[in-house]
Amino acid sequence: MHGYGWSRRRFVGLLARSATAAAALPAAACGGPAGTRTPAGPPTAARASEGASGRERGASGPGPLLLGTYTSAEGGGKGIGLAEYEPGTGRITGHGLLAEVDDPSYLAVHPDGRTLYAVGEREAGAVTAVRLSDHRVLGSRSTGGAAPCHLSVHPGGRWLFSANYGSGSVAVHPIDASGALGERTHLVTHSTPPPGPGQQGPHAHQVVTAPDGGHVLAVDLGTDTVYTYRLDEDAGTLTEVARAQTRPGAGPRHLTFHPGGRHAYLANELDDTVAVCGYDPGTGRLTVGEAQSTGAGPGTNYPAQLLVTADGAYAFLANRGHDSLARYAVQARGARLRLLGTVPVGGDFPRHIAFSPDGGLLFAANQRSGTVAVFRVDADTGELRPTGEPFPSPVAVCALPL
């Protein structure tokens, strides 16, 4: 496709197998927000869902790899990149474009595996649906805000959530039977509390459904707050039920739940910390714990994203600046993180990390070096071992293996 000698029939077959394996499983997503901005200033942008690994693959052959970028950045891509990876070796082979979409910095797949969703991280924010079987763009919808940097699909498959970084709001769109998006049903703006130190306003950075399925949590870097909403699954509206505040100036960026559903882990971008959070599924209330080390040391570092293994034994953190992956042992049934050390990420500014569906590989999208690095994950020890050569991908900010 697009002059790369790619067999369209072969890729459609790969996607069909992935769709079959993904049916009735949580939506997959790649993760991390915002443009080419530096994290300290105005906006900056697992299993492959929001942080858990371990989905079973139906076949051991090559898997599709979808790549997000900034088309408006110097040296950026032309849209959503298309590649495949070998589960055994981690080797990535590029195959051009899946679709031409403006600034698709974050990607997520519907639970049935048939439709891909991408943000359009621009001033007039948008979300776009792409049918994977034939690469057809099913249309775009306005998010009602600026610079959407994150999106996720509700596990029921009927609603898409997106986070507008620039305007500090969360949008809800319906998903029809074809995978296409309808007009927005709700837009919630984070008007309180007031912005944290150094911030000019709210900056919604992530929106994700809790394991209980009924609560939706939005992480806002600008207000140092995680908002919990209850979703009306018939109307597609959100009602706030709780708030959890970090310490002032923490700049919370990304939240990942432990498989047990009672704890979550929060990456704080601006004060270079992580925190273990308690979570009550009945009320949706999150309780933020004490700040902990990212393993980056005294230099400048902006933690980006956390992943947790499917068995809940280990967690991994992408460190931008230190350019490393921190490894944690998860203890006390999710209530504690113990830092084991860090490993070099093999690139510059790891914006997003994701597990392969079987949890055996970890992909790191390195924004400034324009590469995707691959690591083998040792299920017993949590050790990470580089495998294969880093794959060149223009302004790599998202890598979504299927």
Side-chain angles (χ1 to χ4, degrees), residues 290-309:
E290 295 296 318
Q292 297 183 216
S293 173
T294 63
T300 300
N301 184 63
Y302 305 104
Q305 183 188 3
L306 284 151
L307 299 179
V308 183
T309 56

Side-chain angles (χ1 to χ4, degrees), residues 163-224:
N164 292 309
Y165 184 95
S167 49
S169 58
V170 172
V172 185
H173 286 84
I175 301 173
D176 69 20
S178 73
L181 299 170
E183 289 292 346
R184 191 175 62 249
T185 56
H186 205 190
L187 182 69
V188 179
T189 300
H190 299 154
S191 57
T192 57
Q199 302 299 310
Q200 302 303 309
H203 293 306
H205 217 299
Q206 181 197 27
V207 55
V208 61
T209 304
D212 59 74
H215 294 101
V216 176
L217 283 78
V219 180
D220 196 298
L221 180 148
T223 62
D224 293 324

Side-chain angles (χ1 to χ4, degrees), residues 191-266:
S191 57
T192 57
Q199 302 299 310
Q200 302 303 309
H203 293 306
H205 217 299
Q206 181 197 27
V207 55
V208 61
T209 304
D212 59 74
H215 294 101
V216 176
L217 283 78
V219 180
D220 196 298
L221 180 148
T223 62
D224 293 324
T225 301
V226 180
Y227 302 81
T228 299
Y229 299 96
R230 182 168 289 282
L231 171 68
D232 184 324
E233 294 191 42
D234 293 322
T237 56
L238 299 172
T239 301
E240 185 180 328
V241 295
R243 293 180 186 177
Q245 289 192 262
T246 66
R247 61 184 186 178
R253 174 187 175 97
H254 186 269
L255 183 77
T256 298
F257 278 91
H258 184 270
R262 295 281 181 171
H263 299 90
Y265 312 109
L266 188 62

Side-chain angles (χ1 to χ4, degrees), residues 54-267:
R55 189 169 72 198
E56 293 298 325
R57 169 174 287 283
S60 59
L65 179 66
L66 307 178
L67 302 165
T69 185
Y70 286 106
T71 60
S72 60
E74 182 178 355
K78 303 298 183 183
I80 300 169
L82 175 62
E84 68 175 357
Y85 68 95
E86 293 286 345
T89 64
R91 182 175 181 268
I92 299 173
T93 303
H95 297 292
L97 291 181
L98 177 75
E100 294 184 0
V101 176
D102 293 334
D103 289 327
S105 63
Y106 198 94
L107 311 173
V109 171
H110 192 278
D112 66 14
R114 294 178 173 85
T115 310
L116 176 74
Y117 302 98
V119 299
E121 193 177 335
R122 295 195 168 183
E123 184 64 25
V127 284
T128 297
V130 182
R131 191 164 60 200
L132 289 173
S133 62
D134 59 4
H135 311 174
R136 179 186 173 189
V137 176
L138 300 178
S140 299
R141 299 287 185 177
S142 168
T143 62
C149 63
H150 184 273
L151 50 69
S152 60
V153 184
H154 185 263
R158 294 179 54 206
W159 304 104
L160 180 77
F161 310 116
S162 55
N164 292 309
Y165 184 95
S167 49
S169 58
V170 172
V172 185
H173 286 84
I175 301 173
D176 69 20
S178 73
L181 299 170
E183 289 292 346
R184 191 175 62 249
T185 56
H186 205 190
L187 182 69
V188 179
T189 300
H190 299 154
S191 57
T192 57
Q199 302 299 310
Q200 302 303 309
H203 293 306
H205 217 299
Q206 181 197 27
V207 55
V208 61
T209 304
D212 59 74
H215 294 101
V216 176
L217 283 78
V219 180
D220 196 298
L221 180 148
T223 62
D224 293 324
T225 301
V226 180
Y227 302 81
T228 299
Y229 299 96
R230 182 168 289 282
L231 171 68
D232 184 324
E233 294 191 42
D234 293 322
T237 56
L238 299 172
T239 301
E240 185 180 328
V241 295
R243 293 180 186 177
Q245 289 192 262
T246 66
R247 61 184 186 178
R253 174 187 175 97
H254 186 269
L255 183 77
T256 298
F257 278 91
H258 184 270
R262 295 281 181 171
H263 299 90
Y265 312 109
L266 188 62

